[in-house]
Amino acid sequence: MQQPIATNDVILFSTLRENQYFDRKSARKDDKEIAKHISAFANSAGGKLVIGIEDNGEVTGFKRNGARDIEKFERAALTTCTPTPIVRKDRIPVVNSSGEEDFVLVLDIDASTNHSVARVSDGEVFLRQDDKSVRLSREQVFALEYDKGQRIFEDELVEDSSLDDVDHEVLDRYKGILGTEVSDEQVLRSRRFMRDGKLTVAGALLFALDPSAMMPQARVRVLRYDGVKMETGERLNITKE
């Protein structure tokens, strides 16, 4: 079973197989590549990204020809990812493969619990899967945002909807309960049932003339319980569904 790495051990970093919680990269990698892995770790369970060690385990550090400045990697989370994940930076002194005193950089990336983290340059979102940082499709990004509580399904907009799709008789009854005489559009916007002139999912389900046409996948589930409260487990008391 894969486990997070607790210590910053260069020998371990050089020999360990890359996995869900660990990856190593050359200091020659550009911003887009580093941002990809920071995003992936942040969107998963966190992990360590070690800069200055080749994929084959050779410790090349930051003095090798073509290596980029270590400060650029230390600022990478801030400059290449949005929103900025929490990343702790640690320079580890080493003797590189050419016999020179050098450093490797450990980026210890925390999991982002309430936002998906994207790459600034193109908005792409990645997720760590085994030893790979995998780009997510638009649908997968939505699923990740729902999982993190960043996106609420009921607040999504129903495309091609407008005020013309509202059942104004139903909305008038709702306004009567609220005790308000403001315009239909204003009451819908104030309660997050409409945004940018379009109904939200919640607005369509509650107030559309034909909710099933807009949300054909929506269902009403009716349960009957034995008693006055819902029980679970061995005491589950649903009698009809």
Side-chain angles (χ1 to χ4, degrees), residues 2 12-20 22 24 130-131:
Q2 298 179 5
L12 179 63
F13 293 154
S14 299
T15 57
L16 182 67
R17 181 179 179 274
E18 293 172 345
N19 59 45
Q20 175 78 26
F22 166 68
R24 55 178 169 253
D130 294 326
D131 61 343

Side-chain angles (χ1 to χ4, degrees), residues 4 9 12 18 45-46 48 56 59 72 99 104 112 121 164 195 209 213 215:
D9 184 334
L12 179 63
E18 293 172 345
K48 288 181 185 290
N56 63 6
V59 179
K72 290 186 176 181
V104 297
S112 176
S121 61
D164 294 337
R195 193 169 70 252
L209 284 164
M215 305 289 298

